[in-house]
Amino acid sequence: MKNLLENITPTLLMGPGPSCVHPSTYHAMSKSTLGHLDPYFIEIMDGIKSGLRTAMGTENNVTVPLSGTGSAGMEAAFVNLVEKGDKVLVIVNGVFGKRMVDLSQRLGAETDELEFEWGTPVLADVVKSQLEKKDYDIVAIVHAETSTGVKNPADKVGKLIAGKALYIVDCVTSLGGMEVSLDKWGADVGYSGTQKCLSCPPGLSPITFSERAMAKIAARKTKVPNWYLDMSLLTSYWGGEKRVYHHTAPVNMMYGLYQSLHLLLEEGLENSHDRHMAAHKQLAAGLGDLGLELFVEKSARLPMLNAVTVPEGVDEAALRSRLLRDFQIEIGAGLGPLAGKIVRIGLMGHTARPENVERLLAALKCCL
Amino acid sequence: MKNLLENITPTLLMGPGPSCVHPSTYHAMSKSTLGHLDPYFIEIMDGIKSGLRTAMGTENNVTVPLSGTGSAGMEAAFVNLVEKGDKVLVIVNGVFGKRMVDLSQRLGAETDELEFEWGTPVLADVVKSQLEKKDYDIVAIVHAETSTGVKNPADKVGKLIAGKALYIVDCVTSLGGMEVSLDKWGADVGYSGTQKCLSCPPGLSPITFSERAMAKIAARKTKVPNWYLDMSLLTSYWGGEKRVYHHTAPVNMMYGLYQSLHLLLEEGLENSHDRHMAAHKQLAAGLGDLGLELFVEKSARLPMLNAVTVPEGVDEAALRSRLLRDFQIEIGAGLGPLAGKIVRIGLMGHTARPENVERLLAALKCCL
């Protein structure tokens, strides 16, 4: 029987995630599996919780990695907090904001969508007007819109809400690559994914819930319509004196996350943010030299996700294929209405290094 | 900063899962991450789908690993098939049957529970009477009750249903360790986990849906109240001409599953079943020599999950702790009403080998 795994070509991952993984994280994932209730594994779990709190800028007790990818984090945020009839405001300027709207509607919430042009940032003043017009139970925003490369003012919006509603912040793409200070921003729920700036393979979703958020869950009139992601059950596995079995945790993925957090905190959060910004500046300058333009205005650009306008006459699908085939470099396509109009270059985690930017720029020069 | 991963003690996993992992599967999981839309990764995905069809005894087109553990499979089966008001019959004789009842109720189904004494098997005749009394939209059963070590007649129950309802079969613990022939049994949905007899670390849930099941999903009056596990969205990533991004697949876990399926199919399904049965017989005989009794009557025993009655005067928690601390062997506790009354010895996948059974028996001899 042919074994395809024997011929995997190591690839420079410069798309919207997964990002490149540090060798020690791969090594961590291949360590011997322990039982999910083994006391030593529980120590590792506690280490992960502690590392996540530091990375996410929170002191929330309920700060855990969910057994699913970043999208499971979004699902868990909504399915736990939202009950039928709740008034939810979703701030949208890309695919991931839209997805929140879909989720909120599936749960029967009265869902308002405040949309901004894709590729431009959310304007805090417009949010302010909306919050003055209507009271909401829950407000949700995407900090770093992976579909457009736009940075949204999650901090300012948090100040506007100021505890009058529960505040959900999607920090899937930003965590580890730029400041994420959930407590300071007044966020009640924040979630991320492992495969972006944490530089661990995909498979887990770090999430945190404030005491206010947990109180809303405890006061629900109906059970969470999702057993797997029910935080009131999950917390008895992840916390408390005696750990109670809920579902079998993805043990080896947890090793990977532990190691990637270890690397991040050894480097230091600010150093990591600076490294991402430096790689972004290097890339932006190099793209400029090649005559390529970034899709987003300078002040709203994400360092770790660079949307590049596809020049007229260039077949972006062919470009991406050639980069992958001839140069072993992956970059990402545009999503939704931006398909064909932009390509997305990720500089996330272990990918965000000068030699990788140089390698991509040299390859682009050959292709264009 | 202390790194706990440096001191992981390899452990003989003889609990209810996770099971021991073959070195080549660990190695597979540490291979370079590819993008989740990389054409080569899609070939690997196709290999997984094909391997799962063989292992599960199905020709269903929709046969994929979900990005969550076995419990996510149960969640996906119910959340996709069940709509509010549906008539659901859940056959229960353990914790995992009970969990199905909880799930079904959360989704607003009219849920009937047909319960058998825990530790005894489901009786097909009793199911027959119930099916004659009332028409159901969906009937669900656990093939191998991990909480008690009981084998249920999923094949016979399938014949009784004979297409009059949709039939959900939980084969989390059985898949790979005993016959699972979902098409032959008339199952519409079957799901499993990677960390049992497939011998891959936990993190993925293989699941399959028949055409009838997919038709029920297509005809839903309401959207699936779970975006992450919505099969109508997931199938556009896992199938079709052009793969559409849904969520980022857990790439390295997929490598692990690919490799573990590769090992299973190289060995041959029947050989693997025979190996599990041989290990079970060896264990049962050895336990008998030690004066220990199995909790389940002989004809209903699972080969891969052996519930052992705790002898009077034995502190089972202390026994389990000592086995782990002094012998690096993990066995499992009883769950729910069986806590303290039984211990559970798993012989799953790579664990089911004569030398492991011998090692456990020798350790038990020292401890008792």
Side-chain angles (χ1 to χ4, degrees):
Chain A
M1 237 178 303
K2 195 177 152 196
N3 191 328
L4 292 170
L5 301 178
E6 284 160 16
N7 295 308
I8 290 174
T9 308
T11 301
L12 174 52
L13 297 169
M14 302 191 94
S19 57
C20 292
V21 175
H22 193 277
S24 69
T25 301
Y26 286 131
H27 181 63
M29 287 179 61
S30 66
K31 288 195 171 259
S32 294
T33 306
L34 291 175
H36 54 287
L37 291 167
D38 187 306
Y40 197 77
F41 181 63
I42 289 172
E43 277 188 55
I44 293 171
M45 288 164 68
D46 288 343
I48 291 172
K49 283 159 64 177
S50 159
L52 286 178
R53 283 191 196 105
T54 306
M56 297 176 108
T58 182
E59 295 185 358
N60 290 338
N61 182 37
V62 181
T63 305
V64 302
L66 298 172
S67 307
T69 58
S71 301
M74 186 187 286
E75 187 90 41
F78 278 82
V79 82
N80 279 281
L81 286 196
V82 176
E83 277 194 285
K84 199 173 171 177
D86 276 351
K87 291 179 184 64
V88 176
L89 177 66
V90 182
I91 304 170
V92 177
N93 60 344
V95 167
F96 295 92
K98 279 283 183 200
R99 189 177 286 184
M100 287 173 156
V101 173
D102 181 1
L103 260 169
S104 181
Q105 288 169 341
R106 282 173 193 242
L107 297 164
E110 184 185 313
T111 309
D112 290 346
E113 189 177 341
L114 185 63
E115 190 161 2
F116 295 83
E117 196 184 335
W118 291 27
T120 73
V122 167
L123 300 175
D125 284 350
V126 180
V127 177
K128 187 163 180 257
S129 309
Q130 184 65 29
L131 292 175
E132 284 163 358
K133 264 189 265 177
K134 185 167 168 182
D135 288 333
Y136 289 98
D137 299 299
I138 292 157
V139 179
I141 196 170
V142 178
H143 180 217
E145 227 333 320
T146 326
S147 65
T148 61
V150 164
K151 173 176 68 183
N152 286 323
D155 51 347
K156 286 184 193 154
V157 171
K159 286 205 174 61
L160 296 172
I161 298 168
K164 290 193 289 279
L166 289 172
Y167 184 34
I168 298 176
V169 178
D170 175 316
C171 51
V172 170
T173 287
S174 48
L175 187 68
M178 58 194 287
E179 191 195 349
V180 173
S181 298
L182 293 175
D183 283 0
K184 204 167 83 185
W185 300 349
D188 293 289
V189 181
Y191 57 84
S192 189
T194 47
Q195 78 278 15
K196 311 278 186 180
C197 299
L198 297 180
S199 256
C200 177
L204 296 173
S205 174
I207 195 164
T208 186
F209 288 81
S210 71
E211 284 184 23
R212 275 168 21 103
M214 291 307 291
K216 169 112 165 55
I217 296 169
R220 285 180 65 101
K221 292 184 283 289
T222 55
K223 275 193 187 178
V224 174
N226 186 320
W227 185 91
Y228 188 63
L229 297 176
D230 183 337
M231 288 311 297
S232 61
L233 301 176
L234 274 168
T235 45
S236 58
Y237 175 55
W238 277 92
E241 284 283 302
K242 191 169 153 45
R243 307 301 175 102
V244 180
Y245 164 66
H246 176 258
H247 68 268
T248 306
V251 175
N252 293 60
M253 282 302 310
M254 297 290 180
Y255 297 165
L257 175 57
Y258 182 99
Q259 180 61 21
S260 64
L261 285 168
H262 188 83
L263 292 171
L264 176 64
L265 299 180
E266 289 243 307
E267 178 179 16
L269 284 175
E270 278 189 36
N271 291 337
S272 173
H273 302 165
D274 291 349
R275 179 168 51 79
H276 282 81
M277 185 52 81
H280 162 72
K281 284 183 177 163
Q282 183 191 354
L283 177 70
L287 291 174
D289 292 346
L290 292 172
L292 292 168
E293 282 176 20
L294 288 173
F295 178 65
V296 177
E297 60 156 2
K298 199 169 177 188
S299 64
R301 285 176 197 161
L302 291 172
M304 72 286 287
L305 196 290
N306 299 270
V308 181
T309 306
V310 176
E312 215 155 321
V314 170
D315 177 344
E316 63 85 31
L319 171 65
R320 287 185 293 108
S321 289
R322 189 165 168 214
L323 284 172
L324 185 61
R325 194 188 57 228
D326 296 345
F327 299 89
Q328 295 77 53
I329 301 175
E330 177 179 85
I331 65 169
L335 286 182
L338 294 173
K341 294 182 184 159
I342 60 168
V343 291
R344 293 179 298 155
I345 299 174
L347 296 169
M348 299 178 179
H350 195 53
T351 301
R353 287 177 293 147
E355 59 270 35
N356 293 335
V357 177
E358 272 170 39
R359 188 172 145 195
L360 173 67
L361 289 170
L364 279 173
K365 201 170 176 180
C366 289
C367 293
L368 290 170
Chain B
M1 237 180 302
K2 195 178 152 195
N3 191 328
L4 292 170
L5 300 179
E6 284 160 15
N7 295 307
I8 290 174
T9 308
T11 301
L12 175 52
L13 297 169
M14 303 191 93
S19 57
C20 292
V21 175
H22 193 277
S24 69
T25 301
Y26 286 132
H27 181 64
M29 287 179 61
S30 66
K31 289 196 172 258
S32 294
T33 306
L34 290 175
H36 54 286
L37 291 167
D38 187 307
Y40 197 76
F41 181 63
I42 289 172
E43 277 188 55
I44 292 171
M45 289 164 68
D46 288 343
I48 291 172
K49 283 159 63 176
S50 159
L52 286 179
R53 282 191 197 105
T54 306
M56 298 176 106
T58 182
E59 294 185 358
N60 290 339
N61 182 37
V62 180
T63 305
V64 303
L66 298 171
S67 307
T69 57
S71 302
M74 186 187 288
E75 187 88 42
F78 278 82
V79 82
N80 279 281
L81 285 197
V82 175
E83 277 195 286
K84 200 174 170 174
D86 276 352
K87 292 179 186 62
V88 177
L89 176 67
V90 182
I91 304 169
V92 178
N93 60 344
V95 167
F96 294 91
K98 279 283 182 201
R99 189 176 284 183
M100 286 174 157
V101 173
D102 181 0
L103 260 169
S104 181
Q105 288 170 340
R106 282 174 192 242
L107 296 165
E110 184 185 312
T111 308
D112 290 346
E113 190 177 340
L114 185 64
E115 190 161 0
F116 296 82
E117 196 185 335
W118 291 27
T120 74
V122 167
L123 300 175
D125 283 350
V126 180
V127 177
K128 186 164 180 255
S129 308
Q130 184 64 30
L131 292 175
E132 283 163 358
K133 264 190 263 177
K134 185 167 168 181
D135 288 334
Y136 289 99
D137 298 300
I138 293 156
V139 178
I141 196 170
V142 178
H143 180 216
E145 225 337 316
T146 327
S147 65
T148 61
V150 164
K151 173 176 69 182
N152 286 322
D155 50 348
K156 286 184 193 155
V157 171
K159 286 207 172 60
L160 295 171
I161 298 168
K164 291 193 286 281
L166 289 171
Y167 184 34
I168 298 177
V169 178
D170 176 315
C171 51
V172 169
T173 287
S174 48
L175 188 67
M178 58 195 285
E179 191 196 349
V180 173
S181 298
L182 294 175
D183 283 0
K184 205 168 81 183
W185 300 350
D188 293 290
V189 181
Y191 57 85
S192 189
T194 47
Q195 78 277 16
K196 310 278 186 183
C197 299
L198 296 180
S199 254
C200 176
L204 296 174
S205 174
I207 195 165
T208 185
F209 288 80
S210 71
E211 282 184 26
R212 275 168 20 104
M214 292 306 291
K216 168 113 167 51
I217 297 171
R220 285 180 66 101
K221 291 184 282 289
T222 55
K223 275 194 189 179
V224 173
N226 187 321
W227 184 90
Y228 188 62
L229 297 176
D230 183 338
M231 288 312 297
S232 60
L233 301 176
L234 274 167
T235 45
S236 58
Y237 174 56
W238 277 93
E241 283 282 304
K242 191 169 153 45
R243 306 301 174 105
V244 180
Y245 164 66
H246 176 257
H247 68 269
T248 306
V251 176
N252 293 63
M253 283 301 312
M254 297 289 179
Y255 297 166
L257 176 56
Y258 182 98
Q259 180 62 21
S260 64
L261 285 168
H262 188 82
L263 291 171
L264 176 64
L265 299 180
E266 289 243 304
E267 178 180 15
L269 284 174
E270 278 190 36
N271 291 338
S272 173
H273 302 164
D274 291 348
R275 178 168 52 79
H276 281 81
M277 186 51 81
H280 163 71
K281 285 184 177 161
Q282 183 190 354
L283 177 70
L287 291 173
D289 292 345
L290 293 172
L292 293 167
E293 281 176 21
L294 288 172
F295 178 65
V296 176
E297 60 157 2
K298 200 168 176 189
S299 65
R301 285 176 196 161
L302 291 172
M304 72 287 287
L305 195 292
N306 299 270
V308 181
T309 306
V310 177
E312 217 156 318
V314 170
D315 178 344
E316 63 85 32
L319 171 65
R320 286 186 292 109
S321 288
R322 188 163 169 217
L323 283 172
L324 185 61
R325 193 187 57 225
D326 297 344
F327 299 89
Q328 295 77 52
I329 300 176
E330 177 179 86
I331 65 170
L335 286 181
L338 295 173
K341 295 182 185 159
I342 60 168
V343 292
R344 293 179 297 154
I345 300 175
L347 296 169
M348 299 177 180
H350 195 53
T351 301
R353 287 176 294 148
E355 60 270 34
N356 292 336
V357 177
E358 272 170 37
R359 188 172 145 195
L360 172 67
L361 289 169
L364 279 174
K365 202 170 176 180
C366 290
C367 294
L368 289 170

